[in-house]
Amino acid sequence: MNKFGLKQGLRIFSWALYDLANQFFVLNIVSLYFVRWLTLEKNAPEIFYALAFGVSTLFVALLAPMLGTLSDLSGRHHRPFVVLTLISVAFTLLLGTTKSLPLALLFFAVANFGCQEAIIFYNALLFNIADRKWIGMVSGLGKTAGYIGAMLAMFLTKSFFLERGYQAVFVLTAAMFLLFSLPAMLFLRDRKAVGPRHRLRLKALFTGVFRRLRRTLFSGQSPAGLKDLLLGLLFIFSAVNVVMLFMAVYGTRLYGLDDVQIIDFIVFSTLFAIIGSFFSGLASDRFGGGRTLLIVGGFWILSFWCGALLRPPWHWAVGGLAGLSLGATWVVSRAMVVKMIPARKAGEIFGLFNLVGYVSGIAGPVLWGF
């Protein structure tokens, strides 16, 4: 195994650290405190949150393939990554300044849009920092850092929440998201363009971009197995998004867990997500992404059955299984996509990859909400 140089090691560390930063938003805002603030403190129906998340995700889904393709044509992935991250940070901060339910839903929708859209360009930057043969391992390191970030978020915010309440947590989340994103903003760069960058005009936006996407999806130019993988992930991600969004509320209403117990339960699950992230990346490089993903799917099926049938204290087993499955899902699917596609189409394909995640992010939660 070739050793990473200092400069490459710094880039890998900075890239992985963004996964940690991102988890402050995903866990504190999407999964835990904001949804509980809406449903438990403001007494809003779950469908309000599901619709706000769904509408936000719909805009991401519509724009993701186009923006990803445009970034490939322009050769720029880093700049939109920075801008979108800053948008997410700013509107997360605004969540801590309002008591208005409609404004809070709007701020959440914009913050979620920025966070999710930035992931497209973040994933595309993976090509700039790692050789293909180590993609699974580096992807696993990123997700491992992400779940460490989730645990860090819970430990940093637990006492903060108990002393100061929900909205103070929103402000803290924005600060932590920005702090841990800074290395990626400062040290990651785009590849130097081999030829002249494309000058994009309005006509290219509406014709050339969609022509290129159509060729990728519906012609022989699509990488082998890509369409089958995206279709399979559509179904997997639909279930995964429901787990991420409503696990806190589900734990309270079905298992009777209070605020402190919910946090402890998520910490426990996150420990297993760290294990799943790290070892699934190694397994993907060693045994192939397809085989590894099938095993992960089996773990998901088992965790859903256990979640439906078991009651405390067996909810700890459910949390461990779900955490293991969740960590492995993102690592293996991302590594499989990277290994299938050429670097010149990174933004385009990851736009489509994220489109699958966003369509499932609308379908799964809205169905659950109704």
Side-chain angles (χ1 to χ4, degrees):
M1 175 177 176
N2 295 327
K3 292 183 178 180
F4 296 123
L6 181 61
K7 186 178 292 187
Q8 187 179 21
L10 177 61
R11 289 197 296 265
I12 291 173
F13 174 77
S14 301
W15 183 86
L17 200 60
Y18 184 80
D19 239 329
L20 184 152
N22 175 271
Q23 283 300 309
F24 274 86
F25 181 85
V26 171
L27 188 128
N28 282 354
I29 305 301
V30 176
S31 294
L32 188 56
Y33 292 105
F34 183 66
V35 63
R36 291 171 67 81
W37 179 74
L38 283 177
T39 58
L40 302 179
E41 184 168 300
K42 306 295 285 186
N43 294 316
E46 289 179 17
I47 189 63
F48 282 17
Y49 178 65
L51 288 173
F53 182 83
V55 169
S56 170
T57 303
L58 176 62
F59 278 98
V60 178
L62 293 174
L63 293 174
M66 182 175 66
L67 292 179
T69 304
L70 287 172
S71 69
D72 288 341
L73 293 173
S74 66
R76 293 185 176 94
H77 298 107
H78 184 258
R79 185 181 298 174
F81 159 73
V82 171
V83 171
L84 289 162
T85 298
L86 292 177
I87 288 172
S88 183
V89 168
F91 279 87
T92 302
L93 181 63
L94 287 174
L95 280 176
T97 67
T98 183
K99 300 289 185 180
S100 166
L101 185 62
L103 274 180
L105 289 169
L106 175 63
F107 293 158
F108 165 74
V110 177
N112 185 62
F113 173 85
C115 179
Q116 298 298 334
E117 199 79 67
I119 292 296
I120 298 167
F121 306 99
Y122 166 71
N123 283 332
L125 288 168
L126 181 57
F127 281 93
N128 300 359
I129 64 170
D131 297 328
R132 282 179 181 267
K133 61 183 177 179
W134 307 122
I135 286 293
M137 184 189 70
V138 175
S139 178
L141 288 175
K143 263 309 172 191
T144 300
Y147 288 114
I148 291 173
M151 293 187 64
L152 184 62
M154 283 182 281
F155 282 121
L156 286 176
T157 56
K158 181 177 178 180
S159 59
F160 203 76
F161 162 69
L162 294 174
E163 292 176 7
R164 306 191 183 189
Y166 287 103
Q167 291 192 290
V169 169
F170 303 155
V171 174
L172 178 66
T173 299
M176 293 297 100
F177 192 3
L178 176 62
L179 176 65
F180 289 109
S181 297
L182 284 176
M185 296 183 190
L186 295 174
F187 300 121
L188 298 184
R189 290 290 182 270
D190 291 312
R191 289 179 182 268
K192 292 183 179 179
V194 177
R197 297 175 190 253
H198 293 265
R199 294 187 177 275
L200 301 173
R201 299 183 180 182
L202 190 61
K203 183 178 180 181
L205 179 65
F206 290 104
T207 59
V209 168
F210 290 104
R211 190 181 302 118
R212 177 168 168 164
L213 287 169
R214 188 173 64 250
R215 284 199 305 267
T216 297
L217 282 175
F218 302 110
S219 74
Q221 296 186 26
S222 177
L226 178 65
K227 287 186 283 190
D228 291 335
L229 174 62
L230 294 179
L231 181 61
L233 292 176
L234 176 65
F235 292 99
I236 295 174
F237 288 167
S238 292
V240 170
N241 277 303
V242 170
V243 172
M244 292 178 64
L245 282 173
F246 292 110
M247 60 182 175
V249 175
Y250 190 81
T252 296
R253 292 183 173 170
L254 183 69
Y255 296 143
L257 305 180
D258 61 26
D259 289 331
V260 174
Q261 289 172 324
I262 281 287
I263 294 171
D264 291 339
F265 176 70
I266 295 175
V267 168
F268 179 79
S269 300
T270 303
L271 287 171
F272 282 86
I274 292 172
I275 296 170
S277 298
F278 182 75
F279 286 103
S280 66
L282 297 177
S284 178
D285 287 336
R286 177 69 185 275
F287 303 111
R291 291 179 182 177
T292 308
L293 191 61
L294 284 174
I295 295 171
V296 174
F299 277 116
W300 269 122
I301 293 169
L302 182 60
S303 66
F304 289 144
W305 275 107
C306 290
L309 299 176
L310 300 181
R311 293 295 180 268
W314 293 102
H315 66 287
W316 295 109
V318 178
L321 277 170
L324 195 70
S325 307
L326 183 63
T329 299
W330 302 115
V331 170
V332 177
S333 58
R334 180 166 62 188
M336 287 180 71
V337 171
V338 170
K339 290 183 177 182
M340 283 182 176
I341 63 176
R344 70 179 185 278
K345 303 187 80 172
E348 175 187 350
I349 301 300
F350 271 114
L352 294 171
F353 174 74
N354 283 38
L355 174 62
V356 168
Y358 301 141
V359 170
S360 66
I362 297 169
V366 170
L367 180 61
W368 175 274
F370 279 112

